[in-house]
Amino acid sequence: MTVLDEAPGEPTDARGRVAELHEIRAQALAGPGEKATAAQHAKGKLTARERIELLLDPGSFHEVEQLRRHRASGFGLEARKPYTDGVV
């Protein structure tokens, strides 16, 4: 049996952890937020995922490290660490 370090409020059973992972992946797929997406569209630009969808055949792109977060510490970035903020 493996003992995991548990933080308060985190699920302890496998189903709870899987549900948490599904929730995090949904956040990652949603992107940085509606405001950021709207700002990108207002500039006449598409999001990275929208550009990839236009360039590649459906089902041919497999995203790796979807839950990666940046490690930048300047310009106040240490407080904002959205998922999928690695290099695209």
Side-chain angles (χ1 to χ4, degrees), residues 2-3 6-7 12 25 28 43 46 49 59 63 69 72 79 88:
T2 303
V3 177
E6 298 172 7
T12 56
R25 283 187 177 160
K43 295 177 192 175
L46 299 173
R49 281 198 180 90
E63 187 173 357
R69 289 181 161 177
V88 177

Side-chain angles (χ1 to χ4, degrees), residues 43-74:
K43 295 177 192 175
K45 297 180 179 182
L46 299 173
T47 65
R49 281 198 180 90
E50 290 169 338
R51 292 190 303 268
I52 289 169
E53 287 176 11
L54 288 174
L55 287 172
L56 304 174
D57 293 332
S60 66
F61 177 74
H62 298 283
E63 187 173 357
V64 294
E65 297 191 9
Q66 182 183 52
L67 305 181
R68 171 68 78 185
R69 289 181 161 177
H70 69 77
R71 293 179 282 164
S73 59

Side-chain angles (χ1 to χ4, degrees), residues 17-34:
R17 291 192 180 270
V18 169
E20 180 183 31
L21 179 60
H22 285 296
E23 183 180 321
I24 291 171
R25 283 187 177 160
Q27 289 175 8
L29 288 173
E34 292 180 24

